[in-house]
């Protein structure tokens, strides 16, 4: 069953505290994020910290009695700064100190991208969908704080990494994507095209563009336009977005599409197919009856988050209720396991905890959670 805010809030806070310490009492302005978000390189992992920042932004919006009015917003921005200082630089070693990634500099710290934060140099690199999620984090931070500089960093990051994930086609057009590059964005590590990468890029770049055009004093006109057209061209070539049964992929598909639900035909069509798959998984395939030992909590929390985001935009009230029940069932089946979990030894604990918090309360993930969204130009894909 859904938890009321007074009951939900302690669960959300506990999940964040397992990674970031006693967040309700620490002095935000001097806080240094502990190295517990995963990975082995100074304890930072880009995906986990991205969700962590969004959860802090949610807390900034919903916490009824924060220590100070900007307490959780300050925690969010200090975590962002720590991630940039760690994953925006090379790995430290006994022979050299960290330096900016190739293409970056003190005045353009994100032009070289951000490392994943994997424990060894051989497994580290840059993921396209991690980078677009971080752009979304920076965009939401600008939306919450009213400070355009965070969104400007998202623009910088997008411009810096975008061409490195595209392989050229005829007449110099970028026709195919890859989803993993090396740390320096010079060598392809995984040559396949991620299922959601073009869609993620297309949607997030448009959100960043919308804020920049609305808040950039005219300077943001046309920003990221070429990059957005690159994504659109690939999406048109692919045709209808594929829906898969993987719970995290399904949840992120719904989350991505919900930003334009009721506004653009492609989003309505994609959400409709995604929701049908949700009904099939829960009612026909009885997914939650499967042995929990063979499932991954963080992937299911991703599904719950995406389902809740769609439910909040759903015009059909009965279907909205059904969707919220499905999301509640995911959270309910895992809640007993989450209550006693702390930092632990499991390498998945950090990502599981932050995604548990986002499954409880998507907040910053949701369209309109912080108020009306900037109007962006309409597109037709199919």
């Amino acid at each position: 069953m859904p938890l009321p805010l007074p009951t939900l809030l302690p669960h959300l806070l506990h999940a964040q505290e397992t990674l970031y310490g006693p967040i309700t009492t620490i002095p935000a302005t001097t806080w240094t994020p502990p190295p517990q978000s995963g990975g082995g390189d100074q304890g930072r992992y880009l995906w986990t910290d991205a969700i962590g920042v969004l959860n802090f932004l949610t807390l900034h919006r919903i916490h009824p009695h924060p220590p100070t009015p900007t307490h959780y917003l300050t925690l969010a921005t200090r975590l962002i700064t720590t991630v940039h200082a760690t994953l925006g630089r090379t790995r430290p070693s006994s022979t050299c100190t960290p330096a900016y990634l190739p293409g970056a500099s003190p005045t353009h710290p994100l032009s070289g991208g951000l490392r994943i934060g994997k424990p060894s140099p051989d497994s580290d690199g840059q993921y396209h969908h991690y980078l677009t999620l971080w752009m979304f984090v920076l965009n939401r931070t600008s939306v919450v704080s009213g400070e355009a500089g965070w969104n400007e960093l998202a623009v910088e990051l997008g411009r810096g990494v975008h061409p490195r994930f595209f392989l050229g086609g005829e007449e110099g057009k970028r026709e195919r994507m890859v989803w993993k590059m090396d740390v320096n964005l010079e060598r392809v590590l995984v040559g396949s095209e991620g299922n959601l990468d073009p869609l993620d890029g297309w949607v997030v770049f448009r959100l960043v563009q919308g804020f920049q055009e609305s808040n950039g004093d005219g300077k943001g006109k046309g920003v990221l336009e070429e990059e957005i057209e690159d994504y659109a061209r690939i999406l048109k070539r692919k045709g209808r977005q594929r829906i898969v049964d993987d719970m995290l992929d399904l949840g992120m598909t719904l989350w991505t599409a919900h930003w334009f639900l009721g506004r653009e035909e492609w989003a309505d069509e994609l959400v409709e197919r995604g929701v049908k798959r949700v009904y099939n998984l829960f009612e026909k395939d009885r997914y939650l009856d499967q042995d929990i030992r063979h499932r991954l909590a963080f992937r299911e929390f991703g599904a719950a988050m995406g389902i809740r985001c769609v439910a909040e935009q759903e015009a059909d009230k009965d279907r909205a209720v059904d969707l919220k029940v499905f999301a509640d069932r995911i959270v309910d089946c895992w809640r007993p396991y989450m209550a006693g979990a702390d930092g632990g030894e499991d390498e998945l604990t950090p990502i599981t905890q932050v995604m548990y918090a986002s499954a409880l309360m998507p907040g910053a993930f949701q369209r309109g959670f912080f108020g009306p969204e900037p109007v962006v130009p309409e597109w037709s894909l199919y």
Side-chain angles (χ1 to χ4, degrees):
M1 295 294 293
L3 298 175
L5 181 60
T7 305
L8 178 151
L9 194 56
H11 291 273
L12 201 162
L13 290 168
H14 172 76
Q16 286 287 95
E17 286 175 341
T18 61
L19 276 71
Y20 302 116
I23 60 173
T24 59
T25 57
I26 53 177
T29 55
T30 59
W31 175 64
T32 299
Q36 295 180 173
S37 71
D41 178 22
Q42 304 171 77
R44 302 263 67 87
Y45 192 67
L46 188 58
W47 181 275
T48 303
D49 281 332
I51 309 297
V53 173
L54 293 169
N55 290 340
F56 279 133
L57 296 181
T58 298
L59 285 167
H60 173 71
R61 175 71 173 78
I62 69 169
H63 200 294
H65 305 293
T68 68
T70 60
H71 179 78
Y72 292 107
L73 176 58
T74 301
L75 295 182
T77 58
R78 289 186 67 84
L79 180 53
I80 290 172
T81 301
T82 301
V83 167
H84 291 176
T86 305
L87 301 182
R89 298 175 185 248
T90 58
R91 306 171 70 89
S93 71
S94 59
T95 58
C96 63
T97 57
Y100 283 102
L101 296 176
S105 68
T107 53
H108 297 287
L110 299 189
S111 291
L114 291 166
R115 296 185 290 113
I116 304 162
K118 287 284 189 178
S120 72
D122 292 338
S123 58
D124 210 353
Q126 299 203 33
Y127 287 176
H128 181 271
H129 61 291
Y130 283 28
L131 295 167
T132 52
L133 181 62
W134 195 257
M135 289 175 64
F136 177 76
V137 165
L138 295 171
N139 170 261
R140 293 297 95 183
T141 305
S142 271
V143 168
V144 175
S145 67
E147 298 175 8
W150 301 109
N151 197 72
E152 290 168 2
L153 282 173
V155 173
E156 177 180 296
L157 179 59
R159 283 175 169 163
V161 304
H162 173 85
R164 306 303 184 97
F165 287 88
F166 281 75
L167 300 182
E170 296 179 1
E171 299 178 356
K173 293 182 179 180
R174 302 175 185 130
E175 297 293 350
R176 186 170 74 82
M177 291 184 63
V178 298
W179 66 263
K180 184 177 182 180
M181 296 290 296
D182 75 329
V183 166
N184 295 331
L185 293 175
E186 295 172 349
R187 182 166 53 94
V188 175
L189 296 185
V190 180
S192 58
E193 187 171 277
N195 179 43
L196 279 175
D197 282 13
L199 186 66
D200 283 345
W202 190 63
V203 167
V204 171
F205 274 57
R206 292 176 70 195
L207 296 178
V208 171
Q209 179 194 59
F211 183 92
Q212 199 70 10
E213 291 189 346
S214 299
N215 297 273
D217 298 326
K219 298 177 182 178
K221 191 67 176 176
V223 68
L224 298 177
E225 188 170 319
E226 290 185 8
E227 291 84 354
I228 291 168
E229 289 177 352
D230 284 340
Y231 289 119
R233 187 168 57 252
I234 286 184
L235 289 168
K236 288 178 180 178
R237 186 247 311 156
K238 287 179 63 176
R240 293 202 317 169
Q241 179 68 34
R242 186 161 56 98
I243 299 286
V244 300
D245 287 346
D246 176 87
M247 294 292 274
L248 180 57
D249 194 291
L250 177 58
M252 296 307 290
T253 299
L254 292 171
W255 168 72
T256 305
H258 103 281
W259 284 96
F260 293 96
L261 182 62
R263 302 180 180 187
E264 295 183 1
E265 184 178 353
W266 69 268
D268 295 347
E269 188 270 344
L270 181 55
V271 167
E272 185 65 27
R273 287 191 290 123
V275 167
K276 286 182 179 178
R277 194 68 201 109
V278 169
Y279 272 89
N280 284 338
L281 282 168
F282 283 84
E283 295 187 341
K284 180 180 177 182
D285 299 342
R286 303 185 66 83
Y287 175 86
L288 293 182
D289 289 343
Q290 297 179 23
D291 191 333
I292 204 167
R293 293 174 297 178
H294 304 307
R295 292 153 45 191
L296 287 174
F298 80 89
R299 305 193 77 83
E300 296 185 14
F301 293 149
M305 181 276 292
I307 291 169
R308 289 197 199 281
C309 286
V310 167
E312 291 299 323
Q313 307 295 327
E314 178 59 62
D316 184 327
K317 292 184 178 180
D318 290 337
R319 192 159 81 164
V321 170
D322 286 347
L323 291 173
K324 290 177 182 178
V325 168
F326 293 147
D328 291 339
R329 288 175 59 194
I330 291 174
V331 171
D332 288 346
C333 77
W334 286 105
R335 187 178 291 127
Y337 301 91
M338 302 303 297
D342 52 21
E345 298 292 333
D346 189 341
E347 64 178 8
L348 293 180
T349 295
I351 194 170
T352 300
Q353 287 286 4
V354 292
M355 295 201 71
Y356 174 56
S358 67
L360 287 168
M361 169 66 75
F365 282 93
Q366 295 177 12
R367 187 179 93 191
F369 183 74
F370 298 116
E373 300 290 338
V375 176
V376 299
E378 291 188 10
W379 281 76
S380 177
L381 281 182
Y382 311 133

